[in-house]
Amino acid sequence: MDAGFTAEQDEIRRTLRELLHKRCGPEELRAAVDTPAGHDPALWTALAEQLGLPGLALPEAYGGVGCSATELALAAEETGRVLAPSPLLATAVLVAPLVLALGTDAQRADLLPRIASGALTAALAAPAAGLALTGDNRGDWAGGGRAGGVQARRAGAGWTLYGEVGPVPDGHSARLLLVAAHTGGFARSRTLLFLVAGDADGVVRTRHTALDATRPLGHLQLRDVEAELLGDDGGTDVPAALARTGDGAAAVLACEAVGAADRVLERTVEYVKQREQFGRAIGSFQAVKHRLADVYVQVQAARSAAYNAAWATAHGERVGGIALAQGVEALRSSAGEALQLHGGIGFTWEHDVQLYFKRAAGDELLFGPVHRLRAHAADAASLFTATEVPV
């Protein structure tokens, strides 16, 4: 692994940070989350037209930039710093890789250019969102191999879906839904992915009142909805594709969490230099220095794990789950100390620190608690599998 960034990667990060500084300040953020969609369409258009962010990791043949998942993860670190609400995770990180990997030539040619341009937003409707991002759809990680509450059955030459699923990131507003559904009956159960228009007949969508308003979530009900199968009805291993996509998403989310943790730590350091007690800035007290130093070490360790996962994803390795655990834990610690050291003001609705704390708590609720993420990473690596040791 090369720990240095290329000139192109540095430029992506710099340009994105400048744009977000101008277009996604605290006031713009609060205004965006209060809209029905939960994000600012004008900001999404700017991210797409000026930076090509939705198509950053898509091939140039489909209108993308042609970069790898590494650049997408580094971009997510910048969006995480300001908690920018956008369809980036749902559209570019979850749906686009699955369409690219499993879609037919016609489906790719139709959907990917529109995703890359930002004209088409999409959401992955899969059960147990947090577990689906890191598990392989087996055992207690994703409902014993079944797709949960959505059932698919043939209807003539097509398919219909019936059931419900949630929470789904941006599921309430996405124009395209990629739905994981169970088909084949209990004895031959298998999971397939289906394309559904967000405004199709029979689709009922509601927005969750989420703990973390900066990551809007939706709940979907599908009542005999006509759907198009993604790819063909051959031997495609959809659970394996979901697991691969989930690991890449975990690497992106790890970088996003590190960006948020780093920013809230910066704000806390700035504040303790100004707040005074007993005639001194509280940042001069040794106990405060030690607490912030511990958080700094934790954030730097999480950053190293996140960068390694971003690099590994682009090279076919799967270490996203453990990096996500590190990132979420670092964000939780950084935001928790920020609340404590800001005193009473940190808990108020008007202050931004509480938004970072809610992001940390919301990520654990959505993607799985840290101990579960680490347990799955240990299982995947056979870390605690009993083996015979030669004498």
Side-chain angles (χ1 to χ4, degrees):
M1 173 184 174
D2 183 359
F5 295 119
T6 66
E8 184 179 33
Q9 290 169 341
D10 283 331
E11 183 64 17
I12 291 172
R13 289 155 59 93
R14 183 192 64 79
T15 307
L16 180 55
R17 182 174 297 194
E18 290 179 356
L19 188 148
L20 291 174
H21 178 72
K22 296 176 182 177
R23 303 289 296 271
C24 194
E27 293 182 2
E28 292 83 357
L29 170 62
R30 293 171 187 274
V33 299
D34 287 338
T35 62
H39 68 269
D40 180 8
L43 175 61
W44 178 243
T45 300
L47 293 174
E49 294 181 352
Q50 298 182 29
L51 300 177
L53 206 58
L56 194 61
L58 288 177
E60 295 181 13
Y62 296 112
V65 179
C67 294
S68 69
T70 302
E71 284 74 19
L72 189 58
L74 296 177
E77 183 180 2
E78 297 303 321
T79 62
R81 285 180 60 86
V82 296
L83 304 181
S86 77
L88 182 66
L89 171 65
T91 301
V93 180
L94 295 177
V95 173
L98 288 169
V99 174
L100 181 63
L102 304 179
T104 64
D105 291 340
Q107 288 170 339
R108 293 172 188 165
D110 175 41
L111 299 176
L112 292 180
R114 290 192 285 153
I115 288 176
S117 69
L120 180 66
T121 57
L124 174 63
L131 303 183
L133 285 179
T134 52
D136 53 4
N137 209 31
R138 294 182 299 179
D140 61 352
W141 280 93
R146 301 186 62 177
V150 181
Q151 306 294 316
R153 60 185 176 210
R154 289 191 178 275
W159 295 80
T160 60
L161 306 182
Y162 192 94
E164 60 183 290
V165 61
V168 178
D170 290 298
H172 62 295
S173 62
R175 295 180 58 192
L176 175 70
L177 303 174
L178 183 59
V179 183
H182 167 67
T183 184
F186 185 80
R188 304 178 188 177
S189 63
R190 60 178 179 147
T191 299
L192 295 176
L193 291 174
F194 296 88
L195 299 166
V196 177
D199 57 356
D201 292 338
V203 176
V204 179
R205 306 194 287 179
T206 56
R207 181 179 175 182
H208 273 294
T209 301
L211 173 64
D212 175 21
T214 65
R215 198 188 295 283
L217 306 172
H219 184 86
L220 308 179
Q221 294 181 351
L222 301 104
R223 302 168 180 172
D224 292 325
V225 177
E226 294 184 1
E228 177 187 350
L229 179 66
L230 180 67
D232 53 41
D233 195 11
T236 303
D237 190 351
V238 171
L242 284 170
R244 287 192 301 271
T245 301
D247 191 80
V252 172
L253 288 164
C255 284
E256 182 189 76
V258 166
D262 185 60
R263 179 57 187 146
V264 75
L265 177 60
E266 287 179 1
R267 296 188 63 154
T268 305
V269 171
E270 293 170 1
Y271 182 74
V272 298
K273 291 179 180 179
Q274 299 171 4
R275 181 184 171 193
E276 293 188 356
Q277 284 186 351
F278 311 110
R280 293 174 55 185
I282 65 171
S284 65
F285 297 137
Q286 190 175 47
V288 173
K289 292 179 180 179
H290 286 176
R291 290 170 67 173
L292 291 177
D294 289 342
V295 173
Y296 175 79
V297 171
Q298 195 170 11
V299 171
Q300 294 305 314
R303 174 176 278 116
S304 296
Y307 286 173
N308 175 67
W311 176 87
T313 297
H315 291 78
E317 301 179 24
R318 296 176 58 182
V319 293
I322 191 66
L324 178 58
Q326 290 280 95
V328 170
E329 187 173 44
L331 177 54
R332 183 179 61 190
S333 297
S334 186
E337 289 292 353
L339 280 179
Q340 291 287 328
L341 295 174
H342 275 77
I345 192 176
F347 290 86
T348 61
W349 184 260
E350 293 78 13
H351 205 280
D352 294 337
V353 166
Q354 51 91 15
L355 296 176
Y356 289 88
F357 187 81
K358 289 177 180 177
R359 169 60 67 90
D363 278 0
E364 282 206 83
L365 289 172
L366 187 60
F367 306 123
V370 168
H371 73 276
R372 290 275 295 178
L373 295 170
R374 285 180 172 150
H376 176 65
D379 290 343
S382 302
L383 192 60
F384 301 112
T385 302
T387 57
E388 295 185 5
V389 179
V391 180

